[in-house]
């Protein structure tokens, strides 16, 4: 029997026990016939009512209260760090003054500022590179100013020879070029490359690549042959030319490089090899 059933029958059990006690008291109480003698009237015993046990009043069963709903604590999200938007990069200054300033900063030689042309620096660089790759020279688009001292020759045995003093006038240019750190030079080239390619697109075919043109121009100069000195020349009343037909048949950029002299040409080639290697890495 379940606990609940026992609890529900308890009041009925208590009432039944009280009724049984009253019946036993009536039927089993002893009774005798009185004798004829002085009858002493003894008052009948007053029947005491049966003392029934007080009913046990069971406390009403209160059903348990439903458990209070457990409200989950709100999850505390980590604070959202709002990063300030990165400032947009300032547009690259393509002015001649800005370009020239950055170029000059790559060298410790003050002479660099005097050697550079002041106007249209990027355009001159693109046109000059393209011309060199095509084995020509564009004097109207040169990047550097001409040497202050004139080209000189000397006569010996009725022949004209290049004066070694003519080679020295190119030494300041070579000193500046050799002082430029290749990595910094290539970094500046990459910085201005979008503007360079835009200029190049205006003077080239749709399939041309400026980087390839630049390497072609370097290769043209690296292919310049080494020649012993002194170098014989002649004049046709307009300009000096190489007396050796093989030298005179060289491309215009190669002949110009020969005029810088053996030592300057060696230094220029060494630097060009570094630049070419960096471009191809």
């Amino acid at each position: 029997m379940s606990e609940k059933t026992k609890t529900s029958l308890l009041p009925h059990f208590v009432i039944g026990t009280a009724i049984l006690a009253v019946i036993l008291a009536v039927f089993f109480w002893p009774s005798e016939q009185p004798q004829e003698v002085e009858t002493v009237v003894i008052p009948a015993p007053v029947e005491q009512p049966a003392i029934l046990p007080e009913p046990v009043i069971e406390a009403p069963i209160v059903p348990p209260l439903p458990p209070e709903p457990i409200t989950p604590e709100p999850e505390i999200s980590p604070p959202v760090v709002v990063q300030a938007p990165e400032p947009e990069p300032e547009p690259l200054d393509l002015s001649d003054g800005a370009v020239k300033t950055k170029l000059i900063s790559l060298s410790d030689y003050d002479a660099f500022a005097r050697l550079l042309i002041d106007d249209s620096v990027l355009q001159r660089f693109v046109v000059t590179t393209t011309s060199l790759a095509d084995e020509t020279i564009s004097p109207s688009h040169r990047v550097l100013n001409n040497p202050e001292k004139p080209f000189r020759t000397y006569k010996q045995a009725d022949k004209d020879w290049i004066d070694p003093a003519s080679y020295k006038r190119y030494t300041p240019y070579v000193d500046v070029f050799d002082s430029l750190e290749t990595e910094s030079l290539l970094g500046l080239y990459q910085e201005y490359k979008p503007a360079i390619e835009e200029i190049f697109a205006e003077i080239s075919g749709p399939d041309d690549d400026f980087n390839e043109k630049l390497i072609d121009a370097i290769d043209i100069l690296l292919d310049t042959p080494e020649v012993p000195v002194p170098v014989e020349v002649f004049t046709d009343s307009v300009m000096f030319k190489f007396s050796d037909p093989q030298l005179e048949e060289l491309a215009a950029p190669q002949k110009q490089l020969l005029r810088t002299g053996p030592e300057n040409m060696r230094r220029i080639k060494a630097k060009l090899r570094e630049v070419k290697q960096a471009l191809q890495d």
Side-chain angles (χ1 to χ4, degrees), residues 17 30 42 44-45 57 76 82 89 97 104 116 128 144-145 152 165 171 174 193 228-229 263 271 273:
T17 304
I42 299 174
I57 302 175
I76 301 176
V82 180
I104 294 173
L116 275 172
T128 297
L144 303 175
N145 289 308
R152 294 177 55 180
T171 301
V174 180
K193 194 173 182 181
V229 292
E263 178 58 23
K271 192 67 176 182
R273 290 189 187 97

Side-chain angles (χ1 to χ4, degrees), residues 40 52 60 63 91 99 102-103 126 143 152 156 165 167 185-186 192 207 214 230 249 252 263 266 274 279-280:
V40 178
L52 299 177
V99 176
K102 289 191 175 185
L103 277 171
V126 172
V143 179
R152 294 177 55 180
Q156 186 176 15
Y167 301 145
L185 190 62
L186 266 293
Y192 283 100
D207 298 329
L214 183 56
E249 290 176 359
E263 178 58 23
R266 182 192 62 78
E274 288 182 12
L279 285 170
Q280 292 178 328

Side-chain angles (χ1 to χ4, degrees), residues 72-237:
E73 296 183 1
E75 295 184 1
I76 301 176
S77 302
V80 179
V81 179
V82 180
Q83 295 183 350
E86 295 183 1
E88 295 184 1
E90 296 183 0
L92 186 62
D93 190 349
L94 302 178
S95 64
D96 292 320
V99 176
K100 187 173 181 178
T101 299
K102 289 191 175 185
L103 277 171
I104 294 173
S105 67
L106 301 182
S107 174
D108 295 332
Y109 285 81
D110 296 334
F112 196 10
R114 299 192 303 270
L115 298 179
L116 275 172
I117 299 290
D118 289 332
D119 63 285
S120 305
V121 179
L122 291 179
Q123 288 83 353
R124 289 175 181 274
F125 169 66
V126 172
V127 174
T128 297
T129 301
T130 305
S131 298
L132 290 176
D134 295 336
E135 302 186 1
T136 61
I137 292 178
S138 179
S140 60
H141 291 88
R142 64 183 184 275
V143 179
L144 303 175
N145 289 308
N146 288 328
E148 296 178 356
K149 296 180 179 181
F151 179 77
R152 294 177 55 180
T153 62
Y154 68 93
K155 232 178 224 308
Q156 186 176 15
D158 293 330
K159 294 180 180 179
D160 292 319
W161 309 85
I162 296 178
D163 190 337
S166 292
Y167 301 145
K168 293 181 181 180
R169 63 189 185 137
Y170 292 104
T171 301
Y173 298 85
V174 180
D175 288 341
V176 170
F177 183 52
D178 197 27
S179 70
L180 299 177
E181 185 181 352
T182 301
E183 184 176 351
S184 299
L185 190 62
L186 266 293
L188 188 61
Y189 168 61
Q190 293 296 334
E191 182 179 358
Y192 283 100
K193 194 173 182 181
I196 289 172
E197 290 179 339
E198 186 175 344
I199 297 171
F200 179 67
E202 298 176 356
I203 62 174
S204 63
D207 298 329
D208 291 338
D209 180 76
F210 183 78
N211 209 62
E212 293 180 359
K213 283 287 184 181
L214 183 56
I215 294 177
D216 289 343
I218 293 175
D219 286 338
I220 292 293
L221 296 175
L222 290 177
D223 289 340
T224 304
E226 308 287 336
V227 297
V229 292
V231 179
E232 184 182 357
V233 293
F234 71 96
T235 179
D236 59 359
S237 72

